[in-house]
mmCIF file of all heavy atoms in Angstrom:
data_model
loop_
_atom_site.group_PDB
_atom_site.id
_atom_site.type_symbol
_atom_site.label_atom_id
_atom_site.label_comp_id
_atom_site.label_asym_id
_atom_site.label_seq_id
_atom_site.Cartn_x
_atom_site.Cartn_y
_atom_site.Cartn_z
ATOM 1 N N GLN A 146 13.376 17.216 -6.989
ATOM 2 C CA GLN A 146 12.504 16.683 -8.048
ATOM 3 C C GLN A 146 12.949 16.939 -9.476
ATOM 4 O O GLN A 146 12.919 16.132 -10.377
ATOM 5 C CB GLN A 146 11.053 17.107 -7.865
ATOM 6 C CG GLN A 146 10.373 16.614 -6.597
ATOM 7 C CD GLN A 146 9.051 17.255 -6.334
ATOM 8 O OE1 GLN A 146 8.548 18.221 -7.043
ATOM 9 N NE2 GLN A 146 8.288 16.730 -5.411
ATOM 10 N N GLN A 185 28.643 15.932 -13.245
ATOM 11 C CA GLN A 185 27.608 14.908 -13.528
ATOM 12 C C GLN A 185 26.241 15.346 -13.033
ATOM 13 O O GLN A 185 25.276 14.554 -13.083
ATOM 14 C CB GLN A 185 28.014 13.618 -12.826
ATOM 15 C CG GLN A 185 29.308 13.024 -13.311
ATOM 16 C CD GLN A 185 29.419 12.747 -14.783
ATOM 17 O OE1 GLN A 185 28.424 12.258 -15.346
ATOM 18 N NE2 GLN A 185 30.512 13.076 -15.394
ATOM 19 N N GLY A 186 26.160 16.531 -12.544
ATOM 20 C CA GLY A 186 24.832 17.050 -12.100
ATOM 21 C C GLY A 186 24.854 17.266 -10.580
ATOM 22 O O GLY A 186 25.939 17.343 -9.945
ATOM 23 N N GLY A 223 -12.378 16.547 0.594
ATOM 24 C CA GLY A 223 -11.117 15.983 0.743
ATOM 25 C C GLY A 223 -10.863 14.707 0.009
ATOM 26 O O GLY A 223 -11.536 14.479 -1.087
ATOM 27 N N VAL A 225 -9.018 10.525 0.288
ATOM 28 C CA VAL A 225 -8.562 9.454 1.104
ATOM 29 C C VAL A 225 -7.781 8.465 0.194
ATOM 30 O O VAL A 225 -8.144 8.113 -0.812
ATOM 31 C CB VAL A 225 -9.653 8.677 1.854
ATOM 32 C CG1 VAL A 225 -10.705 8.131 0.890
ATOM 33 C CG2 VAL A 225 -9.174 7.498 2.740
ATOM 34 N N ILE A 237 -15.776 -6.528 -0.993
ATOM 35 C CA ILE A 237 -16.595 -5.488 -0.451
ATOM 36 C C ILE A 237 -16.347 -4.118 -1.145
ATOM 37 O O ILE A 237 -17.105 -3.212 -1.021
ATOM 38 C CB ILE A 237 -16.353 -5.281 1.081
ATOM 39 C CG1 ILE A 237 -14.887 -4.773 1.309
ATOM 40 C CG2 ILE A 237 -16.668 -6.521 1.792
ATOM 41 C CD1 ILE A 237 -14.681 -4.486 2.740
ATOM 42 N N PRO A 239 -16.385 -2.685 -4.263
ATOM 43 C CA PRO A 239 -17.400 -2.033 -5.144
ATOM 44 C C PRO A 239 -18.541 -1.391 -4.417
ATOM 45 O O PRO A 239 -18.854 -0.255 -4.678
ATOM 46 C CB PRO A 239 -17.828 -3.152 -6.124
ATOM 47 C CG PRO A 239 -16.677 -4.157 -6.145
ATOM 48 C CD PRO A 239 -16.157 -4.041 -4.732
ATOM 49 N N ALA A 246 -19.101 7.201 -2.356
ATOM 50 C CA ALA A 246 -19.272 8.272 -3.373
ATOM 51 C C ALA A 246 -20.698 8.898 -3.328
ATOM 52 O O ALA A 246 -20.832 10.075 -3.518
ATOM 53 C CB ALA A 246 -19.067 7.595 -4.798
ATOM 54 N N PRO A 250 -19.866 12.938 -2.489
ATOM 55 C CA PRO A 250 -19.689 13.017 -4.003
ATOM 56 C C PRO A 250 -18.431 13.870 -4.395
ATOM 57 O O PRO A 250 -17.878 13.610 -5.476
ATOM 58 C CB PRO A 250 -20.991 13.573 -4.526
ATOM 59 C CG PRO A 250 -21.573 14.301 -3.437
ATOM 60 C CD PRO A 250 -21.202 13.514 -2.181
ATOM 61 N N ALA A 252 -15.570 13.895 -2.621
ATOM 62 C CA ALA A 252 -14.356 13.280 -2.069
ATOM 63 C C ALA A 252 -13.660 12.464 -3.215
ATOM 64 O O ALA A 252 -14.300 11.862 -4.045
ATOM 65 C CB ALA A 252 -14.621 12.462 -0.967
ATOM 66 N N GLY A 271 3.397 8.862 4.459
ATOM 67 C CA GLY A 271 2.192 9.626 4.350
ATOM 68 C C GLY A 271 1.539 9.588 3.027
ATOM 69 O O GLY A 271 0.537 10.389 2.805
ATOM 70 N N PHE A 275 -4.331 4.695 5.223
ATOM 71 C CA PHE A 275 -4.242 3.417 5.964
ATOM 72 C C PHE A 275 -4.226 2.280 5.021
ATOM 73 O O PHE A 275 -4.441 2.416 3.742
ATOM 74 C CB PHE A 275 -5.442 3.291 6.987
ATOM 75 C CG PHE A 275 -6.768 3.417 6.381
ATOM 76 C CD1 PHE A 275 -7.406 2.418 5.758
ATOM 77 C CD2 PHE A 275 -7.467 4.631 6.390
ATOM 78 C CE1 PHE A 275 -8.725 2.536 5.179
ATOM 79 C CE2 PHE A 275 -8.726 4.769 5.843
ATOM 80 C CZ PHE A 275 -9.313 3.726 5.230
ATOM 81 N N PRO A 285 7.449 -5.395 10.087
ATOM 82 C CA PRO A 285 7.899 -4.322 10.937
ATOM 83 C C PRO A 285 6.734 -3.270 11.089
ATOM 84 O O PRO A 285 6.594 -2.332 10.348
ATOM 85 C CB PRO A 285 8.990 -3.714 10.100
ATOM 86 C CG PRO A 285 8.681 -4.001 8.682
ATOM 87 C CD PRO A 285 7.978 -5.292 8.670
ATOM 88 N N PHE A 299 -9.296 -19.536 3.491
ATOM 89 C CA PHE A 299 -8.592 -19.570 2.223
ATOM 90 C C PHE A 299 -8.750 -20.924 1.507
ATOM 91 O O PHE A 299 -8.980 -21.983 2.284
ATOM 92 C CB PHE A 299 -7.153 -19.166 2.344
ATOM 93 C CG PHE A 299 -6.881 -17.702 2.244
ATOM 94 C CD1 PHE A 299 -7.530 -16.791 3.141
ATOM 95 C CD2 PHE A 299 -6.046 -17.174 1.277
ATOM 96 C CE1 PHE A 299 -7.245 -15.464 3.091
ATOM 97 C CE2 PHE A 299 -5.837 -15.849 1.190
ATOM 98 C CZ PHE A 299 -6.419 -14.956 2.012
ATOM 99 N N ARG A 304 -6.992 -24.790 -12.586
ATOM 100 C CA ARG A 304 -7.757 -25.042 -13.815
ATOM 101 C C ARG A 304 -8.656 -26.288 -13.557
ATOM 102 O O ARG A 304 -8.200 -27.205 -12.910
ATOM 103 C CB ARG A 304 -6.834 -25.284 -14.982
ATOM 104 C CG ARG A 304 -7.474 -25.571 -16.371
ATOM 105 C CD ARG A 304 -6.477 -25.682 -17.460
ATOM 106 N NE ARG A 304 -5.585 -26.780 -17.223
ATOM 107 C CZ ARG A 304 -5.770 -28.020 -17.691
ATOM 108 N NH1 ARG A 304 -6.916 -28.232 -18.283
ATOM 109 N NH2 ARG A 304 -4.849 -28.957 -17.430
ATOM 110 N N TRP A 323 3.400 -23.561 -8.192
ATOM 111 C CA TRP A 323 2.662 -22.623 -7.380
ATOM 112 C C TRP A 323 2.898 -21.160 -7.843
ATOM 113 O O TRP A 323 4.012 -20.817 -8.274
ATOM 114 C CB TRP A 323 2.979 -22.683 -5.887
ATOM 115 C CG TRP A 323 2.631 -24.014 -5.309
ATOM 116 C CD1 TRP A 323 3.356 -25.169 -5.278
ATOM 117 C CD2 TRP A 323 1.399 -24.283 -4.616
ATOM 118 N NE1 TRP A 323 2.724 -26.181 -4.650
ATOM 119 C CE2 TRP A 323 1.529 -25.668 -4.179
ATOM 120 C CE3 TRP A 323 0.308 -23.596 -4.256
ATOM 121 C CZ2 TRP A 323 0.503 -26.279 -3.470
ATOM 122 C CZ3 TRP A 323 -0.766 -24.238 -3.534
ATOM 123 C CH2 TRP A 323 -0.604 -25.560 -3.183
ATOM 124 N N MET A 330 5.804 -12.154 3.841
ATOM 125 C CA MET A 330 5.317 -11.824 5.197
ATOM 126 C C MET A 330 3.877 -12.026 5.296
ATOM 127 O O MET A 330 3.165 -12.212 4.308
ATOM 128 C CB MET A 330 5.673 -10.341 5.500
ATOM 129 C CG MET A 330 7.159 -10.067 5.497
ATOM 130 S SD MET A 330 7.527 -8.292 5.850
ATOM 131 C CE MET A 330 9.270 -8.282 5.745
ATOM 132 N N CYS A 401 -6.298 -7.096 9.096
ATOM 133 C CA CYS A 401 -6.254 -5.929 10.039
ATOM 134 C C CYS A 401 -6.152 -4.610 9.358
ATOM 135 O O CYS A 401 -5.604 -4.515 8.272
ATOM 136 C CB CYS A 401 -5.028 -6.101 11.037
ATOM 137 S SG CYS A 401 -5.057 -7.533 12.030
ATOM 138 N N THR A 408 0.699 9.838 12.137
ATOM 139 C CA THR A 408 -0.141 10.610 11.275
ATOM 140 C C THR A 408 -1.625 10.430 11.603
ATOM 141 O O THR A 408 -2.226 9.365 11.318
ATOM 142 C CB THR A 408 0.028 10.088 9.808
ATOM 143 O OG1 THR A 408 1.453 10.099 9.487
ATOM 144 C CG2 THR A 408 -0.626 10.961 8.777
ATOM 145 N N LEU A 412 -10.535 13.727 8.404
ATOM 146 C CA LEU A 412 -11.932 13.568 8.591
ATOM 147 C C LEU A 412 -12.446 12.613 7.438
ATOM 148 O O LEU A 412 -13.275 11.690 7.690
ATOM 149 C CB LEU A 412 -12.663 14.902 8.470
ATOM 150 C CG LEU A 412 -14.215 14.907 8.485
ATOM 151 C CD1 LEU A 412 -14.716 14.291 9.824
ATOM 152 C CD2 LEU A 412 -14.737 16.299 8.325
#
Side-chain angles (χ1 to χ4, degrees):
Q146 292 175 350
Q185 301 299 319
V225 56
I237 67 170
F275 54 85
F299 271 60
R304 180 174 63 88
W323 295 85
M330 299 180 179
C401 298
T408 308
L412 176 61

